[in-house]
Amino acid sequence: MDFKNNKPIYQQIIDYCFNKILAQEWVEEGKVPSVRELAMELSVNTHTVLKAYEYLQAEEIIYAKRGLGFFLAPDATAHVNTVRREEFYETILRELFNEMDRLQISIDDIIIHYNNRK
């Protein structure tokens, strides 16, 4: 976790979980680390991990099995991909287009630059 980052720690934990899911390090229907395990791994408070897990449960990305822990939902990867795409379009792409406007960079400039990097 980047404690100097302006993004709240629980949101950084959510991003961490999303990365684990998209990298297929956490498999659908598989057990995910317990709140305590993840807190120890990331060196954060268990309450902060719990807040992240509560979000993941509310979004139906993980679910709890009483007495067994948390598990990844069967469609978690697709759901996370959708959430990440929305975030990309709403945040990253918007910031990119604003910067392109400031620097007077066109889409065609981007395409040429992208094709030349190969």
Side-chain angles (χ1 to χ4, degrees):
M1 299 296 90
D2 182 359
F3 297 105
K4 295 178 184 170
N5 188 327
N6 287 338
K7 193 173 206 177
I9 300 299
Y10 85 95
Q11 287 181 336
Q12 291 182 50
I13 295 169
I14 292 166
D15 289 341
Y16 175 86
C17 295
F18 281 4
N19 290 338
K20 292 289 189 183
I21 294 164
L22 293 175
Q24 297 181 342
E25 293 177 35
W26 292 2
V27 296
E28 293 179 351
E29 296 289 341
K31 191 169 184 340
V32 300
S34 70
V35 169
R36 190 177 312 262
E37 290 168 339
L38 193 57
M40 287 178 57
E41 179 181 336
L42 301 177
S43 300
V44 297
N45 188 293
T46 56
H47 294 293
T48 309
V49 174
L50 185 58
K51 186 173 182 177
Y53 273 24
E54 286 170 350
Y55 168 85
L56 295 173
Q57 277 189 284
E59 290 294 316
E60 298 180 347
I61 294 168
I62 64 172
Y63 62 93
K65 284 187 181 178
R66 190 175 181 97
L68 296 175
F70 291 100
F71 292 80
L72 206 56
D75 60 347
T77 303
H79 189 74
V80 168
N81 197 10
T82 299
V83 170
R84 278 282 175 90
R85 283 173 176 258
E86 289 172 10
E87 180 181 304
F88 174 81
Y89 291 128
E90 292 299 317
T91 306
I92 297 168
L93 196 57
R94 181 174 300 189
E95 291 171 8
L96 175 64
F97 283 153
N98 287 338
E99 187 67 12
M100 287 172 61
D101 285 344
R102 281 191 288 275
L103 298 173
Q104 299 178 338
I105 296 172
S106 70
I107 295 289
D108 291 335
D109 294 335
I110 296 292
I111 292 169
I112 291 167
H113 185 76
Y114 179 80
N115 289 333
N116 287 337
R117 72 174 179 87
K118 295 178 181 181

